[in-house]
Amino acid sequence: MNRFSRDFGRTSVIVPEAVVREGEDGTAEQIMKRAAASGTDMAVRGAGRSCNTQTLSPGMVLDNLREGAAPRFTGQDDLVDVPSGVTWLALETWLHQHGRANPVLPSYLNLTVGGTLSIGGFGPGSLHCGLQVDQVVEIELIDGAGRSLRCSPRENSELFQYALGGLGQVGFIKRAVLRTVPHQAATPVSRVQHAGLSELTGFMKQVTKDPGIRGYFGMYDRASWYSQVSYASETGGTETGGTGLAGQAQLVPDLPLRLHEEVDQHLLPLLDVESRANIWADYVLDEAGLDDITGLLEELIHEPPLAQTLISLYFLVIQRPQPATPFVFAPALDAPVQYGVGVFTSVDSSDSRALAGTKRVQRQLLSACAKAKGRPYLYGSHEFDAGLLEGFYGGAALRRLEELREQHSLTRFNQRAFGGPRP
């Protein structure tokens, strides 16, 4: 039970009354209906990577991690039908065996498909392919009445737009049908060192001008500032009109899997320590907003508490396919080019001063994101109030969300999706 009492953030302990699993405790439809009928608080947990108790519940937790579940091709346009409890690592490995791949993947792959689709999903491939939810053709959504609802841009489209990126507030995502692309066995990769934050962000703004670059992420890991770019062909961009912006490339086999291994080996051993609280947050901004928030970061990273508690900064460039689905709560803007900024900190739980100071800084960054008209990732360590929520999403969208939750018997479901009891 201890595993289900805390999430990756480890800032709070919420002990559930019961942990249930589909198959062992009934169908997903039966479990959802039973919880709603009894008035039980309920949350869905995949890999448990939320940072502010979003996947915890004092009532029932639906354990949706299903590493043994099998994807299948639908037989139409290389679409794959995926149970939501499968990890991206398992799915990508399976797809490679069939000559296919996901167009957008996070750097760390031991996350469930349903978990990342419920918050939007980004990665190096977002440079040209947008969000992970932009790859979704259809989902099966289970509501609190035990109904199975097929949702897509054409069928139950409103639920589709509220579910993907909305952190499970309009039902349990049971499965998803995803687009795939041909597997690229080896990818040309260049890593470019930078002198600091301003140089890195200046480089970020240039990558969309090089048509040869197909993937991008930037990083500050306390040792160095760097950008990593990848190309679609083994020529490293030289035959695709590339500008040579990133310099010489080296071929890397199975790039998404290698990147996952790098994160797994070097970052997670530091973070998977029970005595540490992980206070992580991601923001999406347009170019003006990027300048605002990085200007603030330039000041903060050299002073306590970030000078001691910062683990890394992570940067992405996002261009969504058009026309883009207007997901209501996804971290996405109405801008042709968007920028992702991740601020990852880790604090010894016994150091109350550092813990309070780091939370204060994250509140400052969230306010800066709101002022810049950006959007946060809902998995993060955000402390929302009613004013911030309305500023990010609009009062009409929030009111409609509560109406949908009422209509679908979900008023006690995923109550902490905004990082705490509903405002």
Side-chain angles (χ1 to χ4, degrees), residues 36 141-147 149 156 158-159 162 169-171 399-412:
L141 196 68
I142 312 299
D143 73 4
R147 292 172 293 204
L149 302 167
N156 292 311
E158 185 180 37
L159 286 174
Y162 273 81
Q169 297 183 83
V170 293
R399 288 190 294 273
R400 182 56 181 155
L401 170 64
E402 296 309 321
E403 290 172 359
L404 289 170
R405 286 170 60 81
E406 182 74 33
Q407 290 171 17
H408 291 273
S409 304
L410 295 164
T411 57
R412 306 299 293 272

Side-chain angles (χ1 to χ4, degrees), residues 26-42:
T27 65
E29 292 84 348
Q30 291 168 339
I31 292 169
M32 292 288 289
K33 186 174 182 178
R34 190 163 64 238
S38 64
T40 301
D41 284 354
M42 182 179 177

Side-chain angles (χ1 to χ4, degrees), residues 1 4 24 27 85 87 94-95 106 115 118 128 137 202 221 232 251 270 296 332 351 383 395-396 406:
M1 188 70 76
F4 299 95
E24 298 173 11
T27 65
T87 66
W94 183 86
L95 285 173
S118 77
H128 286 285
V137 173
D221 60 8
L251 280 178
L270 172 65
L296 178 58
D351 190 340
E383 295 186 12
E406 182 74 33

Side-chain angles (χ1 to χ4, degrees), residues 38-65:
S38 64
T40 301
D41 284 354
M42 182 179 177
V44 178
R45 180 189 179 101
R49 306 305 288 189
S50 62
C51 290
N52 198 22
T53 74
Q54 293 95 327
T55 57
L56 304 184
S57 172
M60 184 184 297
V61 172
L62 173 55
D63 177 14
N64 192 43
L65 184 61

Side-chain angles (χ1 to χ4, degrees), residues 294-306:
T294 53
L296 178 58
L297 281 169
E298 284 273 28
E299 301 173 11
L300 294 174
I301 61 176
H302 301 296
E303 303 172 355
L306 284 196

